[in-house]
Amino acid sequence: MKRILTIILALLCATGGLMAAEPSAEHHSTGAKIANWMRGTGLPDELTVVAISMLPIVELRGAIPVGHIMKMNPWLVYALAVVGNMIPIPFILLLLGPVSRWLMRFDAGKKFFDWLFARTRRKAANIEKYETLGLTIFVAIPLPATGGWTGAMAAFLMGMKFHHAMLSILLGVMIAGVIMTVLSLMGWLGALIAAVVLLAMAAGAVIGLFRREERN
């Protein structure tokens, strides 16, 4: 039951994040607050979108609604967000191994990376079965705890080749960008569609969990 509630909560949080892309919710959006702060520093709007899309958790899903709030050209926002989201990926793929091994020599580092890797394996449990295609789909779905950062960590844990991982993540980020751009342009209609889809996914997840528990 705890797993069921966790899935439902995650999906509802994602729905709320998509609805926050509507301009009327500007002052309630974390992304909008970040954008306003960055604007206050004199950072151009284009660099604001790139910087937000580089952040873990927020990534492209947060950057595109912010660009929409700032009244930028939606396809320029898309391009900037994809570029920004991809900037950290090669560094994660190349450096996560040596950095984690070095830090895991210390108790705090070991606890952190044990938690991080266990969490990533749980979130990306179905990727390994479908390999590169699974990684693309995982990154493409704009839900909490998915995206380029988690996808790169999952690729590292699976031992995926660098160029395969980069291509899969790039395709996933581009697809996620199209989804978020369309939802942002559609406003509340897009948010409503997203809510219906996410609630349907939640219902499917709940039914699947109940069936697995019954078989066990």
Side-chain angles (χ1 to χ4, degrees):
M1 182 60 68
K2 183 178 179 181
R3 287 159 55 196
I4 294 171
L5 293 175
T6 300
I7 290 173
I8 293 174
L9 179 61
L11 292 170
L12 290 177
C13 286
T15 303
L18 291 171
M19 289 184 174
E22 182 67 19
S24 62
E26 178 176 357
H27 298 294
H28 303 285
S29 168
T30 300
K33 292 177 182 177
I34 294 172
N36 289 334
W37 178 82
M38 288 185 171
R39 274 178 156 178
T41 65
L43 194 68
D45 290 350
E46 292 80 4
L47 289 182
T48 295
V49 172
V50 172
I52 293 174
S53 63
M54 290 173 61
L55 298 174
I57 302 175
V58 180
E59 298 191 46
L60 171 149
R61 295 184 299 268
I64 287 178
V66 167
H68 180 65
I69 289 169
M70 295 189 296
K71 309 297 184 184
M72 295 174 61
N73 181 289
W75 301 113
L76 174 61
V77 172
Y78 170 82
L80 293 171
V82 168
V83 170
N85 207 160
M86 289 301 298
I87 288 173
I89 304 305
F91 297 99
I92 297 171
L93 293 172
L94 295 173
L95 300 179
L96 183 58
V99 170
S100 63
R101 284 192 295 270
W102 186 80
L103 290 175
M104 286 177 77
R105 298 185 302 170
F106 309 99
D107 288 340
K110 187 175 187 309
K111 288 179 180 178
F112 172 75
F113 281 104
D114 283 345
W115 167 82
L116 180 64
F117 292 158
R119 177 180 178 274
T120 301
R121 288 188 180 97
R122 288 196 304 271
K123 296 294 182 183
N126 295 323
I127 292 179
E128 195 165 5
K129 181 179 179 181
Y130 301 102
E131 296 184 349
T132 53
L133 177 60
L135 182 59
T136 296
I137 295 171
F138 176 81
V139 174
I141 299 173
L143 292 174
T146 66
W149 280 72
T150 307
M153 288 187 284
F156 162 76
L157 292 174
M158 290 189 297
M160 189 178 290
K161 291 182 179 179
F162 177 82
H163 62 282
H164 286 168
M166 283 292 295
L167 179 59
S168 296
I169 294 170
L170 174 60
L171 290 175
V173 167
M174 291 174 68
I175 294 169
V178 170
I179 294 171
M180 290 305 305
T181 298
V182 171
L183 291 176
S184 294
L185 291 175
M186 292 175 71
W188 281 104
L189 176 59
L192 179 61
I193 293 171
V196 171
V197 172
L198 292 170
L199 289 173
M201 292 172 62
V206 170
I207 293 170
L209 285 173
F210 274 128
R211 287 177 177 173
R212 284 195 293 271
E213 289 176 358
E214 288 175 358
R215 286 197 296 267
N216 295 333

